[in-house]
Amino acid sequence: MWVELIINTIITTVLGLIIGTLATALKTVVDKMKQKEETENMQYDMLLRATRSLLHDCLYKECTHYVKKGKIGTNALKNIKYLYEPYTALGGNDICEALFEKCLSLDIEYDTDGAKEEGEYL
């Protein structure tokens, strides 16, 4: 009878220790996974912001150049449209939208210098 009680106590204690250790290990793994996911989400957000910033810079410079010039070539217009689409999809602002609209209303110079076709400058 005492032997059974001692064995039951030992088994209960050992099982409690094992379950407690496994629960702690599982919590540690889950916490590390959450931290990794948060880091990856932050990095993804920063990449999107950096991409949008680079597109903004290119669009702003290109559009400002052609607005000042008062006219735009067909290939330059295609290039600006190519930049503008992902820029707006990434949440670009009204500054480049206004400049883009001005570029669309500029006089068009038709490129005849054998310039690359749309998509070839990617």
Side-chain angles (χ1 to χ4, degrees):
M1 174 128 162
W2 285 98
V3 173
E4 286 180 22
L5 183 61
I6 293 173
I7 291 173
N8 282 340
T9 303
I10 292 173
I11 290 174
T12 304
T13 304
V14 169
L15 285 176
L17 288 172
I18 291 172
I19 291 171
T21 302
L22 289 175
T24 301
L26 181 61
K27 183 181 181 327
T28 301
V29 169
V30 168
D31 288 346
K32 285 183 180 180
M33 288 174 63
K34 284 181 182 178
Q35 183 179 13
K36 182 180 178 188
E37 182 180 5
E38 288 172 5
T39 300
E40 288 174 350
N41 286 341
M42 182 188 71
Q43 290 172 337
Y44 180 76
D45 183 56
M46 292 307 264
L47 284 171
L48 288 178
R49 290 173 58 190
T51 301
R52 186 176 58 230
S53 295
L54 290 170
L55 288 167
H56 179 276
D57 184 56
C58 290
L59 277 167
Y60 185 84
K61 287 178 182 174
E62 289 294 308
C63 290
T64 301
H65 169 76
Y66 290 108
V67 168
K68 285 180 182 177
K69 188 177 175 183
K71 55 187 173 182
I72 189 168
T74 54
N75 288 323
L77 186 58
K78 288 177 188 177
N79 189 49
I80 288 172
K81 287 179 181 178
Y82 177 76
L83 293 168
Y84 185 73
E85 182 181 334
Y87 175 73
T88 56
L90 292 174
N93 65 23
D94 294 337
I95 294 169
C96 283
E97 181 180 352
L99 286 169
F100 176 74
E101 293 297 327
K102 285 183 181 180
C103 283
L104 293 178
S105 67
L106 292 173
D107 292 335
I108 303 226
E109 292 181 307
Y110 292 95
D111 297 321
T112 58
D113 59 355
K116 295 179 181 179
E117 293 295 322
E118 182 178 5
E120 290 184 350
Y121 47 84
L122 300 179

